[in-house]
Amino acid sequence: MTARIGVVTFPGSLDDRDTQRAIRVAGAEPVALWHKDKDLKQVDAVVLCGGFSYGDYLRAGAIARFSPVMDTVIDQARAGLPVLGICNGFQILTEAHLLPGGMLGNDHLHFICRDQKLRVENADTAWTTDYTAGQEIHIPLKNMDGRYVADQRTLDELEAEGRVAFRYLDVNPNGSLNDIAGITNAAGNVVGLMPHPEHAVEPLIGTGRTDGLPFFTSILKKLVNA
């Protein structure tokens, strides 16, 4: 049976169709989910896509965190449902306290759009098993509020427990502490990152590479082998 991966659309989402396409390219079935609905349609995993949900008013992701769909996402994520948050989705995951820390405006106060070099730090999560630890990849990055921050105790815990999933290489594009580009929860089923793997799944778009595709093949293999 084909794995079904839900993609949530909020008002202001920009990358829901791109994410659905990436899921399809990987061989799974994308399922559109609407922010006002609590029903996840029995999907096997969920992606919170990039964009500017609710215009990023108050804080990026702060309003989306209270959308009806998030009640179900939070409950099921805590019960083990795989959830990936990309860019605005990562911001929403921190606002929902499914991931620790928070996101602030880029330290240079400008929107950034570039191909970004990353190092894979954790290849054991539900979304990263098709990578190898230490692997260097290139993924498109586009954000205004991409600076990851946390108190020192949280940073120490993330580092000690191997929960930094991705780290910026060559340049820190937004001032994120410890060069953190993405993190995971302790269970490894919830992952958030600022770069956009859905824009790097086919050689004719994005970086011209397919470095983002393993996110989606990783979760597909996990679901098929579960």
Side-chain angles (χ1 to χ4, degrees), residues 14 22 47 103:
L14 298 179
V47 180
M103 313 301 298

Side-chain angles (χ1 to χ4, degrees), residues 169-226:
L169 288 184
D170 293 346
V171 62
N172 184 324
N174 44 36
S176 292
L177 297 180
N178 291 24
D179 298 326
I180 290 174
I183 61 175
T184 179
N185 67 343
N189 64 302
V190 179
V191 172
L193 78 161
M194 286 310 297
H196 287 260
E198 77 280 11
H199 295 323
V201 298
E202 296 176 289
L204 292 180
I205 60 174
T207 60
R209 303 158 62 118
T210 59
D211 291 3
L213 188 58
F215 276 90
F216 306 100
T217 56
S218 293
I219 189 61
L220 177 58
K221 289 178 181 178
K222 176 177 175 58
L223 295 173
V224 169
N225 295 327

